[in-house]
Amino acid sequence: FFELFSLQLFFSVEQRSKKVESILPDFLLLIANNIRSGLTPFAAFRQSARPEFGVLSEEVKAAAARSLGTQSFEKALSQLSAKFNSRLLKDTVSLFAQSLKSGSHLAKLLESSAMDLRKIQELRKEMVSSVRTYVLFVGFVALIATPLLLAISIEFLSILQGIQASQGVSVEASQFSF
């Protein structure tokens, strides 16, 4: 029972992480557009928490509320990334926090990060489909092709032995037969 519960918990955490990773590029592009329109990075971050982003939106609102209270914005961002088991989110949030400190071109950075995340997601999908194809091929070879070829070779050998027996091959020659 404990193992099943831990597996269910693991898969729910993974599903939540994948959902956040799938909407992260859109979220970053929205923040970048808000910054380009003249909002401060904090206001752009807070305004980008749309209901269609689901769990990420709720956590962004909570992080924005914490940063208005007792915590700094960077600390609230790091707590946001700790809520999800996603390496992409952690790297993106740390990049966002570092660019806030350095004062770099934040909108450009967020747009390029969003495009990179989309490329990563596409590459992951391609890898998954390639691995599935290879697994299907190996499974076909192991379950169907190998037994079929073995059956054909056994039948071939039995036919060959029947031909050799009907021709009356000597004992010395039959020692070297198939």
Side-chain angles (χ1 to χ4, degrees), residues 52-90:
E52 57 265 14
F53 293 142
V55 179
L56 181 62
S57 174
E58 295 169 8
E59 293 299 328
V60 164
K61 287 177 184 176
R66 281 193 302 270
S67 67
L68 287 175
T70 59
Q71 292 180 347
S72 68
F73 187 47
E74 289 87 15
K75 186 164 180 150
L77 284 175
S78 67
Q79 286 181 349
L80 169 73
S81 65
K83 296 254 181 175
F84 299 100
N85 188 20
S86 170
R87 184 75 183 158
L88 291 176
L89 180 66
K90 288 178 184 174

Side-chain angles (χ1 to χ4, degrees), residues 23-73:
I23 60 175
L24 187 60
D26 297 329
F27 180 70
L28 292 175
L29 286 174
L30 188 58
I31 292 173
N33 288 335
N34 286 341
I35 290 173
R36 285 186 191 262
S37 69
L39 292 175
T40 64
F42 176 74
F45 182 75
R46 191 173 62 189
Q47 291 292 326
S48 298
R50 303 289 172 119
E52 57 265 14
F53 293 142
V55 179
L56 181 62
S57 174
E58 295 169 8
E59 293 299 328
V60 164
K61 287 177 184 176
R66 281 193 302 270
S67 67
L68 287 175
T70 59
Q71 292 180 347
S72 68
F73 187 47

Side-chain angles (χ1 to χ4, degrees), residues 21-165:
E21 286 178 357
S22 69
I23 60 175
L24 187 60
D26 297 329
F27 180 70
L28 292 175
L29 286 174
L30 188 58
I31 292 173
N33 288 335
N34 286 341
I35 290 173
R36 285 186 191 262
S37 69
L39 292 175
T40 64
F42 176 74
F45 182 75
R46 191 173 62 189
Q47 291 292 326
S48 298
R50 303 289 172 119
E52 57 265 14
F53 293 142
V55 179
L56 181 62
S57 174
E58 295 169 8
E59 293 299 328
V60 164
K61 287 177 184 176
R66 281 193 302 270
S67 67
L68 287 175
T70 59
Q71 292 180 347
S72 68
F73 187 47
E74 289 87 15
K75 186 164 180 150
L77 284 175
S78 67
Q79 286 181 349
L80 169 73
S81 65
K83 296 254 181 175
F84 299 100
N85 188 20
S86 170
R87 184 75 183 158
L88 291 176
L89 180 66
K90 288 178 184 174
D91 291 344
T92 304
V93 166
S94 68
L95 181 68
F96 184 68
Q98 289 296 327
S99 64
L100 281 175
K101 288 179 186 176
S102 67
S104 63
H105 299 285
L106 191 58
K108 211 178 221 185
L109 181 71
L110 290 175
E111 285 177 354
S112 66
S113 295
M115 294 304 148
D116 289 343
L117 288 174
R118 284 196 176 143
K119 286 180 186 175
I120 288 171
Q121 290 171 352
E122 289 174 11
L123 288 174
R124 280 185 180 174
K125 286 179 183 178
E126 287 179 21
M127 284 178 27
V128 165
S129 66
S130 295
V131 167
R132 283 184 183 161
T133 304
Y134 292 143
V135 166
L136 286 174
F137 177 72
V138 168
F140 172 77
V141 167
L143 296 176
I144 296 172
T146 302
L148 181 67
L149 289 175
L150 287 174
I152 290 172
S153 65
I154 289 173
E155 188 64 30
F156 176 72
L157 288 177
S158 66
I159 291 173
L160 244 156
Q161 286 177 351
I163 291 174
Q164 284 179 349

